[in-house]
Amino acid sequence: MSMTNDAMPSMITCERSARALFDFIDGRLPAAEMSVLRVHYETCQACAPHYEFSRRLLSMIPDTVPFDSDVPSDLRARIIASLREEGYSGSDSDA
């Protein structure tokens, strides 16, 4: 993969798109990278289903889990660890 600068690859691999998926869905990437990833998710037959599933799943969470519920700290830690394994890079308070 060639790099146009340290932050933005000129082409996105499926591996890179998988690592960036949650940040893309959350809109946490630079605009140029969001644009390149958007094209990748729209055109890659391998990545499109993963993107669509993740987007739909994450959009349903606020409707099913009230934010004011008390989540045990050990459960929260396990969830955050799982998210990080899948590429989540937000803060613990965002998860």
Side-chain angles (χ1 to χ4, degrees), residues 23-37:
D23 288 332
F24 175 82
I25 291 171
D26 290 341
R28 295 178 184 211
L29 300 169
E33 189 169 1
M34 292 288 289
S35 179
V36 171
L37 283 163

Side-chain angles (χ1 to χ4, degrees), residues 8-21:
M8 185 61 212
S10 61
M11 52 187 257
I12 297 290
T13 64
C14 293
E15 180 181 342
R16 171 67 182 120
S17 72
R19 284 182 295 174
L21 180 60

Side-chain angles (χ1 to χ4, degrees), residues 58-71:
L58 292 175
S59 73
M60 289 187 280
I61 291 173
D63 296 335
T64 59
V65 179
F67 286 112
D68 61 350
S69 65
D70 290 325
V71 177

Side-chain angles (χ1 to χ4, degrees), residues 41-63:
Y41 296 130
E42 290 173 354
T43 59
C44 179
Q45 291 180 355
C47 293
H50 298 289
Y51 162 71
E52 189 59 28
F53 173 81
S54 297
R55 185 190 64 76
R56 285 182 172 183
L57 177 66
L58 292 175
S59 73
M60 289 187 280
I61 291 173
D63 296 335

